[in-house]
Amino acid sequence: MKITTTALSLLSIFAGVVAQGCDYETPFHACDVATILEKTSCTAGELVVKFGLDDTSALNAFVQSECISVRAQIKEDMLPWDSVTRRGKQFDDSFFDGGSIFNTQDHRLVTGFTTETDPDTQRLKDISSVVLTSGGIAWPDSYIKNFDLVESCDSQTVMCCWTATRNGASADIPEDEANTNVCTHDIGDSPKSARVEDGESIFPGNGEGNTVCHGFFWDDFNSDYKGNLLFKVAMADGLMGKGYVRNIPSAPMCACIEQMPTVTYAGCTDMNVTETFKISHNELQDRYHIVPDGEPDITFNACEGKDLKEAYESANMEGTTERQLKKITGGDDDSCDALASTKLADFGYIPRNSDQIWKPVAGRGLLAYPIVSAEEFREIWAGSETKILRRKCLECDLSHMEIYYKRINDIDGELPANFDLLHTVLDSWAESDNNRLGETFELYSSYDDALSGDRKWEYCNYHYHIGFPRDCGPTEYTPSQWNRFFSGGSAKTVAFYVDYSNSTTS
């Protein structure tokens, strides 16, 4: 990105004879002493006289002061963001979160207008044609919560992600336009947009649907015109150009990247700004000043063909943060799915193995299932190749949410004739010659461990008035994880399943 602006030269300028051909009316594109001398063909001595200074040592200070003043005037004259839509703070906040009629009203069905001919966006079209490339649009800052530079934007980067379109025959973004995969979103990064204090949204596979992400960043040389970049990306190109609307669930539609989801890719827009200045005489004050000479010339580009992550990193900007790098992975869909899977695992969830088949035999609460009879259970058990019984408990400690009971040393894999395994685990976890850890059964925390025999549980105790597993634990006494289905009952949401993964019996 490039902008010709107020970087001031502190070069030592020495006075000389007045140069022939000195032209004070010649405009210049950078507000500093060296550029003024070059463009006007004046000497430092003549500028000292012109500006009414005592000597050349005061020239740099004077020009710097004038440039600060003209910069302040340029910013004051910019279009304030509350005048962009003129619909108020609540509307603008809602728009950048994926709401408002700009995002939700389908004009193909409601009014017959496409995005391009929609009268609701006429003001945006006027700004796009009159102001965007030849004027300044002020940054919204705290007026719109998503762009408050005090609370966010340490990376000086904004990203928009859209999940639908108002153009075309379908509301879905065409597959050939989608450019990213959404991995996860930490709701705590954008609680005001989600209206939820904390949480995590996880998007394995392509659950979010076709999505487009695009953004921009700024540095000291184009900071004043970053409002133009926001309008260009979010409104001129996003809303009106492509008709892109709606946000990724639980996330803003456009915001400082610190508030946005983690995605694999985002397109990039940058800009070149050329400002022109001149020396002007104030007749009332009888003083010369530096003033703008016309409007700025702003052109937008595609970051030299780089995506947002590549362009940001290659710019070597100060303040690059690890968070910015995390928000755009730069990887493929597989890396994104791996990140989503890791997040799920952090919360104790793992994807169901399609090769595993579990036949329910009893359950209560949210896992309710009619308890099969003792005869039915024996028939089901006979069809299991692994002889593994699984207990799932939604309200137990993490160590006891999944337990795998594996029978060992049974003759031909058949349960002893006088042993009711289902009743034992449901309601009467008694120790006997048919039910003793390490002799007739083993306990494991995972199915893979049960198959391999690794990491067997080491501690177990018993009591015939309560059910499985009383206080058994992976390494030590672990109380209050048992269930009871009949004798007084237990409030825990529990279910039991027999492994039928390799069974030939349906």
Side-chain angles (χ1 to χ4, degrees):
M1 299 179 199
K2 180 181 179 183
I3 178 171
T4 308
T5 183
T6 63
L8 299 177
S9 169
L10 297 179
L11 298 173
S12 296
I13 307 298
F14 297 95
V17 295
V18 176
Q20 293 184 358
C22 175
D23 183 3
Y24 297 113
E25 302 298 323
T26 301
F28 44 92
H29 295 305
C31 194
D32 60 66
V33 172
T35 302
I36 295 173
L37 292 176
E38 177 188 354
K39 295 299 182 182
T40 62
S41 299
C42 297
T43 66
E46 189 167 3
L47 288 182
V48 167
V49 174
K50 201 67 169 176
F51 291 140
L53 304 174
D54 293 333
D55 51 46
T56 57
S57 63
L59 184 58
N60 272 322
F62 174 80
V63 172
Q64 184 174 19
S65 176
E66 284 292 303
C67 291
I68 291 174
S69 296
V70 75
R71 173 62 46 207
Q73 186 62 51
I74 289 172
K75 294 173 70 173
E76 184 177 343
D77 292 341
M78 286 184 173
L79 178 71
W81 197 273
D82 59 8
S83 295
V84 171
T85 67
R86 285 187 176 172
R87 293 172 180 265
K89 174 179 173 60
Q90 184 174 357
F91 181 95
D92 292 345
D93 261 336
S94 178
F95 168 74
F96 284 106
D97 280 341
S100 82
I101 59 172
F102 287 170
N103 284 300
T104 61
Q105 187 169 341
D106 190 335
H107 293 273
R108 295 163 301 181
L109 303 177
V110 179
T111 66
F113 291 108
T114 64
T115 305
E116 291 80 2
T117 60
D118 178 10
D120 284 334
T121 60
Q122 183 59 53
R123 179 168 177 78
L124 303 185
K125 286 180 282 188
D126 291 342
I127 292 173
S128 184
S129 62
V130 176
V131 181
L132 182 58
T133 59
S134 58
I137 301 175
W139 185 252
D141 210 350
S142 60
Y143 171 71
I144 297 175
K145 64 184 185 308
N146 296 1
F147 308 107
D148 190 336
L149 299 183
V150 174
E151 294 190 0
S152 188
C153 274
D154 288 344
S155 61
Q156 300 180 189
T157 305
V158 165
M159 184 168 69
C160 297
C161 291
W162 303 276
T163 61
T165 179
R166 301 200 324 180
N167 294 346
S170 170
D172 295 332
I173 290 177
E175 188 171 351
D176 60 352
E177 294 182 23
N179 69 354
T180 195
N181 191 11
V182 184
C183 308
T184 64
H185 178 52
D186 184 347
I187 296 175
D189 289 342
S190 58
K192 293 181 181 179
S193 296
R195 295 170 177 81
V196 176
E197 184 176 357
D198 205 356
E200 193 84 29
S201 296
I202 302 173
F203 304 90
N206 191 34
E208 74 279 0
N210 293 339
T211 303
V212 172
C213 290
H214 200 97
F216 62 90
F217 63 94
W218 65 91
D219 52 31
D220 291 342
F221 293 105
N222 68 349
S223 176
D224 290 345
Y225 291 90
K226 57 184 177 289
N228 293 59
L229 272 170
L230 177 60
F231 185 93
K232 171 68 173 175
V233 171
M235 292 180 160
D237 288 350
L239 176 64
M240 294 185 293
K242 296 290 189 178
Y244 291 154
V245 294
R246 305 318 304 258
N247 57 303
I248 295 167
S250 77
M253 184 181 75
C254 297
C256 294
I257 200 168
E258 290 85 352
Q259 304 170 43
M260 294 296 288
T262 299
V263 299
T264 57
Y265 178 92
C268 182
T269 294
D270 64 354
M271 66 180 175
N272 292 328
V273 181
T274 300
E275 295 173 312
T276 305
F277 306 94
K278 67 179 181 180
I279 297 173
S280 175
H281 182 249
N282 186 316
E283 295 183 359
L284 292 178
Q285 298 177 342
D286 192 23
R287 287 192 59 188
Y288 284 88
H289 296 279
I290 297 175
V291 298
D293 183 27
E295 302 296 341
D297 180 24
I298 304 173
T299 57
F300 296 96
N301 310 290
C303 299
E304 299 179 343
K306 300 174 182 176
D307 61 47
L308 183 58
K309 180 180 176 70
E310 293 172 331
Y312 185 94
E313 292 178 348
S314 65
N316 293 320
M317 292 172 54
E318 293 184 5
T320 301
T321 61
E322 184 181 7
R323 169 68 71 177
Q324 203 280 338
L325 298 178
K326 286 184 177 179
K327 291 294 184 172
I328 304 176
T329 68
D332 56 18
D333 291 351
D334 290 341
S335 66
C336 189
D337 291 342
L339 176 60
S341 296
T342 300
K343 286 284 189 178
L344 285 170
D346 289 343
F347 286 98
Y349 295 97
I350 58 175
R352 177 182 177 273
N353 190 327
S354 59
D355 294 332
Q356 294 181 26
I357 301 173
W358 295 96
K359 186 177 284 292
V361 293
R364 63 180 303 142
L366 294 174
L367 300 176
Y369 189 84
I371 301 172
V372 301
S373 67
E375 292 76 16
E376 287 178 292
F377 181 82
R378 281 186 171 272
E379 183 179 344
I380 293 171
W381 190 260
S384 173
E385 292 290 326
T386 61
K387 308 304 180 189
I388 294 175
L389 181 68
R390 171 192 179 196
R391 191 194 79 158
K392 183 179 182 69
C393 177
L394 299 186
E395 295 152 337
C396 292
D397 292 348
L398 185 61
S399 61
H400 285 63
M401 291 184 72
E402 296 274 355
I403 305 175
Y404 297 84
Y405 173 104
K406 180 180 180 181
R407 291 293 296 182
I408 58 175
N409 299 327
D410 287 335
I411 299 174
D412 295 329
E414 294 184 6
L415 291 171
N418 60 343
F419 179 57
D420 188 341
L421 174 56
L422 185 58
H423 177 69
T424 299
V425 296
L426 293 185
D427 214 53
S428 183
W429 182 244
E431 183 178 18
S432 69
D433 291 341
N434 295 322
N435 194 54
R436 186 171 292 118
L437 182 67
E439 295 182 12
T440 62
F441 72 88
E442 296 167 344
L443 298 179
Y444 298 89
S445 297
S446 74
Y447 181 67
D448 287 342
D449 283 350
L451 293 178
S452 67
D454 295 331
R455 290 175 284 277
K456 301 173 186 177
W457 282 27
E458 300 175 3
Y459 177 83
C460 218
N461 62 0
Y462 311 86
H463 197 292
Y464 64 90
H465 282 316
I466 58 178
F468 178 79
R470 196 185 173 182
D471 308 314
C472 301
T475 59
E476 60 186 358
Y477 172 88
T478 310
S480 305
Q481 306 301 308
W482 48 268
N483 54 256
R484 186 162 56 190
F485 275 64
F486 302 112
S487 307
S490 167
K492 287 186 173 64
T493 298
V494 173
F496 287 88
Y497 309 85
V498 174
D499 182 19
Y500 254 55
S501 302
N502 299 311
S503 174
T504 58
T505 306
S506 60

